[in-house]
Amino acid sequence: MSETRAGADDGGNRAANIFDVARLAGVSHQTVSRVINDLPNVRPATRARVEQAIAQLRYSPSPAARALVTRRTRTIGLVTPGISDYGPTSIATHFNFAARAARYSVDTVSALDPDPAAIRGVVEGLLRQRVDAIVLIVVDVGVLEVVRGLDLSIPLVAATSSPRRSPLIVSIDQYRGARSAVRHLAELGHTRILHLAGPLRAPDALERIRGWREELSERRLQIVEPVSGDWTAASGFARGRELDVEPGSAIFVGNDHMAIGLMSALRERGLRVPEDVSVVGFDDVPEAGYLYPALTTVRQDFSTLGELIMQKVLIAVEEPDSVTEDTPIPTHLIVRQSTAPPGS
């Protein structure tokens, strides 16, 4: 009677290996390897016999053995900024979900210093670990230029905002999102629409400034140079105490956390939202709908962004000759109680 399972002579304690599968299926271990790695030139009947043996033995090939055959580790290097801001954190979370669904593991490295040289060092470290691709969440325009200049042997996909298109850039449309926020305020009747921007080296902040400025320009409304914060509620509060704002004004804020701080500062100054000043944020953080008043904001679809990044990675790794388009994901304006016509 022949063996039908691994470890028949050692109490069944030994895990099945590729040779056990080959014996049970009556094929060479090379054929088993071809089936495992979905390589061509295996007859359907042979493939079915091998797959049945794999199931019967509950055989699970080791990642190291599979990598030797495919030259792939099914691991993606993810470089995140060393900050806990809602946007980058959400992108990383949803990308991890998408990678897991595609049966890839993610090796995450936080770049505490956004300096381009530091980013280059992080990328080189991931290359030594033989990752199949690198995903970079960009929060500094200097890093974006470094990305464009890297000559890598594996794909690099950047999650960033830029007016310049690239097939390996994935983004949410910050520019049109900003325009929708300003358009909403203008259509309410506001003619003086200020902007509290994010850090001026942040690609997202620059695209939101561009959208704010161009929407005002097309409407021939007054443009007051924006002031900038650092994405935090504390910076929104500090700028809100100094901002040249008067009843009837509106403020487009670069993100929701700064908007939260700003509204607190306005309340301290005796200015009511939205009766005296309308406020629009950006992101739609989970708290936005529970503020008083609830915050009108621009929602970003981070779930779709994470899936799109993974899709770009898969195409770049598995179909390297394919060319994909850079089509930014649209945003959605969520109107709540922090905006109203002036004087209402």
Side-chain angles (χ1 to χ4, degrees):
M1 182 175 179
S2 63
E3 275 188 20
T4 58
R5 63 182 175 85
D9 57 355
D10 63 2
N13 294 323
R14 178 173 64 81
N17 60 38
I18 194 169
F19 299 102
D20 298 319
V21 175
R23 279 195 298 270
L24 182 57
V27 299
S28 69
H29 71 275
Q30 292 94 335
T31 299
V32 175
S33 179
R34 296 187 73 81
V35 172
I36 291 168
N37 293 288
D38 199 25
L39 297 175
N41 302 325
V42 179
R43 288 185 294 179
T46 303
R47 186 180 295 274
R49 202 160 67 246
V50 171
E51 289 173 346
Q52 183 178 357
I54 288 171
Q56 185 175 333
L57 295 175
R58 298 180 182 176
Y59 170 64
S60 178
S62 73
R66 178 171 260 181
L68 285 173
V69 176
T70 63
R71 306 259 180 210
R72 296 181 192 160
T73 60
R74 295 194 74 83
T75 302
I76 302 164
L78 173 64
V79 183
T80 64
I83 54 177
S84 58
D85 289 345
Y86 179 74
T89 301
S90 297
I91 295 170
T93 298
H94 288 286
F95 171 71
N96 269 277
F97 292 159
R100 192 179 310 149
R103 294 184 300 166
Y104 274 74
S105 60
V106 178
D107 189 352
T108 302
V109 181
S110 292
L112 299 178
D113 186 352
D115 178 75
I119 296 295
R120 187 181 287 107
V122 169
V123 168
E124 289 171 352
L126 288 170
L127 291 175
R128 287 193 291 272
Q129 296 178 41
R130 297 184 62 244
V131 295
D132 293 341
I134 293 174
V135 172
L136 184 60
I137 300 175
V138 178
V139 296
D140 186 282
V141 289
V143 172
L144 188 55
E145 292 308 312
V146 169
V147 169
R148 290 195 171 101
L150 289 174
D151 183 17
L152 302 178
S153 57
I154 61 171
L156 186 148
V157 176
T160 187
S161 299
S162 172
R164 295 164 58 185
R165 296 286 173 252
S166 167
L168 292 182
I169 282 182
V170 186
S171 63
I172 294 175
D173 200 336
Q174 312 295 327
Y175 168 76
R176 287 182 175 79
R179 293 198 66 156
S180 72
V182 177
R183 185 182 310 117
H184 168 66
L185 293 169
E187 289 175 349
L188 286 174
H190 292 283
T191 56
R192 190 169 189 267
I193 303 172
L194 308 177
H195 184 34
L196 170 52
L200 298 183
R201 290 188 60 82
D204 285 356
L206 294 175
E207 282 297 279
R208 292 170 198 171
I209 291 172
R210 188 168 73 92
W212 163 81
R213 190 183 300 276
E214 291 193 13
E215 186 68 26
L216 289 181
S217 180
E218 282 193 14
R219 293 176 177 273
R220 298 186 178 180
L221 295 177
Q222 177 188 13
I223 297 176
V224 177
E225 283 304 303
V227 296
S228 64
D230 63 5
W231 299 131
T232 66
S235 71
F237 181 78
R239 302 298 178 272
R241 298 178 79 176
E242 305 163 353
L243 205 59
D244 181 16
V245 62
E246 56 194 31
S249 298
I251 307 171
F252 167 47
V253 188
N255 77 340
D256 289 349
H257 285 120
M258 290 195 299
I260 290 170
L262 171 78
M263 289 198 295
S264 181
L266 293 176
R267 187 163 51 249
E268 185 181 83
R269 293 172 58 178
L271 292 167
R272 300 166 299 166
V273 177
E275 293 87 349
D276 298 322
V277 181
S278 285
V279 175
V280 179
F282 208 107
D283 281 340
D284 196 26
V285 298
E287 304 87 350
Y290 301 96
L291 302 173
Y292 184 78
L295 182 63
T296 295
T297 186
V298 179
R299 177 178 294 165
Q300 302 196 71
D301 189 347
F302 292 114
S303 176
T304 297
L305 182 66
E307 293 171 1
L308 185 57
I309 295 170
M310 190 61 211
Q311 185 182 89
K312 293 267 190 183
V313 168
L314 288 174
I315 292 172
V317 169
E318 299 177 4
E319 304 173 42
D321 295 329
S322 300
V323 177
T324 58
E325 295 182 359
D326 170 21
T327 304
I329 298 167
T331 56
H332 301 280
L333 180 70
I334 307 299
V335 178
R336 297 193 179 103
Q337 286 74 52
S338 66
T339 53
S344 63

